Amino acid sequence: MKDAKELKEALFYTKKSVYEAADGDEIDRAFAFAKGYAAYLDEAKTEREAVKAAVRLAEQNGFRPYTMGQTLAAGDKYYFNNRGKNLYLFTVGTENIENGIRISAAHIDSPRLDLKQCPVYEDGGMAFFKTHYYGGIRKYQWVTVPLALHGVIVKADGSTAEVCIGEDENDPVFYINDLLPHLGHDTDQKPLGEAIPGEKLNVLVGNRPYEGDESDAVKLNVLALLNEKYGVTEADFLTAEISAVPALKARDIGFDRALIGAYGHDDRVCAYPALLSMFEDPAPTHTLMCVLADKEEIGSEGSTGMKCDVFLDLVNEIAVALGGDPAVVRAHSKCLSADVSAAFDPNFADAFEKRNTPLLAGGVVLTKYTGARGKSGTNDANAEYIGWLRGVMDKENVVWQAGELGKVDQGGGGTVAKFMAGHNVETVDLGVPVISMHAPYEVIAKVDLYEAFRAFCAFCRA
Ligand code: MN
Ligand code: MN
């Protein structure tokens, strides 16, 4: 008979944290890598800003703008900026394009409060902006948080004013009122999801009246200030896209500084390492592509979301320019749908199934399926592909864990994976575990971010 302890070691699967599995140098590299990420977070709170920041980094690394129809050769590095909200980067590999493209696809939109098209009003001596929330939020979390306004206003003459107020130390910030506990008796009886209805998420933007006017003087003063700064009128909001996002910078969390708190980890914590993995190898064997998609939080819709045909068009263009058949290229391509997963939270242990939930600092998460209620709406990746990826990550000692989004029938979610897989591209979800996902301030572990970066690099090389 074999020794039970030895047999256990040989047969049992034991999950190791990054701190157990990696050496001190790698932990140091992870903490250093996190600094660049925190800077990216503060620069890129909306998809437009995330594209701008990514383009700047791409250009610094030799990427140039791509125009559909142009010729391509091995070693070429291009980016395609889709309407300023969705970015495709690709590096042409040395091998036959029909061997497929290695694609990492993350999203750069995050839950937030978008201004309505007629947002401005005055009530009780205060001026407010009406909002319609974007993506899945727990509405009670967004009151009494300092907010910044980001976006664009397209004016009657067709020119565009870019808005970013609340990020500079000297800027004012904005705010959503909540009821004081002294008068909270009625709201305290309500379920959490009903205490703050969507129409109560009105952003406080002013209190000082314009001199000499009797009615709507506070609103008038706000519009006068906006007119002075941006040259806009109330009607210009009809053609604006402005979002209220938390006016909070990324900060280290904890005495040991092991975690980062920030707005919008979902999904910049995957977008950033996926993007940086494109800069590692100037002459890759496979053609590499990184997608930074918009609109994931509302179903990947629209001309900047992952459902848009621009992805197919680009793959077609690249295939044809390199003498390949687009269908063959897609059939042999591999994709990492780079998105976050929910980390086990002991404070809400009931929502998770401990054996299959990723742990903070447990490494990058490989998620076979997302979806809800019997895997509805998921890609459910093929075991053969996951097996291949397991080999790729194990070869480079990437610390990874399997994940599932919470307990069966507790809820669920989706990613861009199913849209990629629908194009006949092998796809699986891979990303970073997050605490308090979709909250105004989310938490991730620096070591998980770094293992994600190492996973994308290993995938590009494999
Ligand atoms: Mn996401
Ligand atoms: Mn999300």
Side-chain angles (χ1 to χ4, degrees):
M1 271 229 324
K2 279 185 187 164
D3 175 63
K5 201 179 167 211
E6 272 173 39
L7 197 61
K8 234 184 205 174
E9 256 166 47
L11 297 184
F12 280 21
Y13 165 64
T14 321
K15 206 149 120 176
K16 274 190 180 165
S17 86
V18 182
Y19 291 106
E20 292 170 286
D23 61 27
D25 286 352
E26 188 171 324
I27 307 297
D28 288 347
R29 281 195 294 276
F31 276 54
F33 186 86
K35 288 187 179 152
Y37 171 57
Y40 179 78
L41 280 172
D42 290 343
E43 189 183 347
K45 289 197 174 176
T46 63
E47 60 277 3
R48 288 176 192 272
E49 292 165 356
V51 163
K52 254 190 203 164
V55 165
R56 186 175 51 72
L57 290 171
E59 285 184 343
Q60 283 169 5
N61 285 278
F63 284 71
R64 289 169 294 148
Y66 170 77
T67 317
M68 295 231 194
Q70 74 178 73
T71 57
L72 294 172
D76 281 355
K77 298 188 275 190
Y78 285 106
Y79 65 85
F80 182 78
N81 185 341
N82 179 20
R83 299 167 167 93
K85 298 159 129 188
N86 164 215
L87 193 71
Y88 289 82
L89 300 101
F90 62 93
T91 304
V92 180
T94 49
E95 70 167 16
N96 189 335
I97 189 67
E98 290 196 343
N99 290 345
I101 304 175
R102 294 286 153 80
I103 305 163
S104 48
H107 69 92
I108 47 175
D109 60 318
S110 298
R112 63 191 184 219
L113 307 172
D114 285 345
L115 298 201
K116 293 194 186 195
Q117 298 323 114
C118 280
V120 204
Y121 72 98
E122 175 177 337
D123 202 352
M126 289 174 267
F128 295 95
F129 283 167
K130 295 292 299 177
T131 67
H132 191 142
Y133 61 97
Y134 173 97
I137 62 165
R138 310 195 79 186
K139 290 168 216 123
Y140 72 87
Q141 295 176 340
W142 290 73
V143 295
T144 72
V145 172
L147 298 170
L149 296 173
H150 292 238
V152 297
I153 305 175
V154 179
K155 297 188 248 183
D157 65 3
S159 65
T160 301
E162 283 194 33
V163 176
C164 181
I165 315 167
E167 296 297 343
D168 190 275
E169 290 283 299
N170 299 312
D171 281 355
V173 293
F174 307 93
Y175 186 83
I176 296 173
N177 305 352
D178 196 6
L179 191 60
L180 60 168
H182 316 65
L183 301 179
H185 180 267
D186 287 357
T187 27
D188 286 352
Q189 313 310 313
K190 290 183 184 171
L192 204 53
E194 290 169 20
I196 306 286
E199 291 295 353
K200 276 209 196 320
L201 294 176
N202 303 313
V203 181
L204 179 59
V205 297
N207 175 232
R208 181 175 177 172
Y210 194 85
E211 234 174 276
D213 196 88
E214 299 145 28
S215 65
D216 279 345
V218 178
K219 171 179 167 176
L220 179 65
N221 199 34
V222 164
L223 284 170
L225 290 167
L226 286 171
N227 184 264
E228 198 182 319
K229 183 158 182 181
Y230 299 108
V232 298
T233 67
E234 187 176 10
D236 293 333
F237 281 96
L238 298 171
T239 50
E241 259 176 24
I242 297 177
S243 307
V245 298
L248 304 165
K249 304 270 185 229
R251 301 283 294 266
D252 287 350
I253 287 190
F255 292 112
D256 53 15
R257 298 181 169 264
L259 309 167
I260 303 176
Y263 163 68
H265 282 313
D266 178 8
D267 186 29
R268 291 172 192 105
V269 75
C270 300
Y272 181 78
L275 173 69
L276 261 63
S277 74
M278 294 290 288
F279 308 149
E280 285 296 294
D281 188 354
T285 314
H286 309 287
T287 294
L288 308 178
M289 178 182 274
C290 174
V291 187
L292 303 181
D294 180 28
K295 299 281 185 281
E296 191 279 338
E297 295 295 357
I298 56 167
S300 297
E301 311 290 348
S303 59
T304 53
M306 202 65 244
K307 281 188 195 168
C308 176
D309 283 350
V310 69
F311 168 72
L312 289 179
D313 292 346
L314 265 175
V315 170
N316 285 1
E317 294 284 319
I318 293 168
V320 169
L322 294 165
D325 178 339
V328 176
V329 172
R330 280 187 282 114
H332 294 158
S333 290
K334 292 182 166 71
C335 176
L336 295 180
S337 163
D339 210 340
V340 297
S341 62
F344 175 74
D345 188 337
N347 289 327
F348 302 96
D350 285 354
F352 299 95
E353 189 266 284
K354 219 170 173 178
R355 286 173 188 85
N356 286 283
T357 295
L359 298 175
L360 212 55
V364 68
V365 185
L366 204 155
T367 304
K368 184 179 189 298
Y369 51 86
T370 56
R373 297 171 304 279
K375 296 192 178 183
S376 177
T378 178
N379 151 51
D380 203 0
N382 298 310
E384 292 83 351
Y385 179 48
I386 298 180
W388 174 82
L389 192 60
R390 172 188 182 180
V392 167
M393 292 200 285
D394 286 351
K395 198 176 139 207
E396 301 210 13
N397 298 315
V398 174
V399 186
W400 67 275
Q401 51 184 331
E404 179 170 40
L405 187 68
K407 259 187 189 167
V408 176
D409 289 340
Q410 187 67 35
T415 64
V416 302
K418 61 177 177 177
F419 309 115
M420 280 295 188
H423 296 313
N424 196 27
V425 175
E426 282 291 359
T427 305
V428 68
D429 281 295
L430 181 122
V432 175
V434 176
I435 293 279
S436 306
M437 194 194 294
H438 285 205
Y441 214 59
E442 305 171 314
V443 175
I444 62 106
K446 290 176 180 176
V447 290
D448 294 330
L449 163 69
Y450 192 61
E451 292 309 304
F453 172 65
R454 295 186 63 233
F456 294 125
C457 292
F459 171 74
C460 291
R461 277 193 286 266

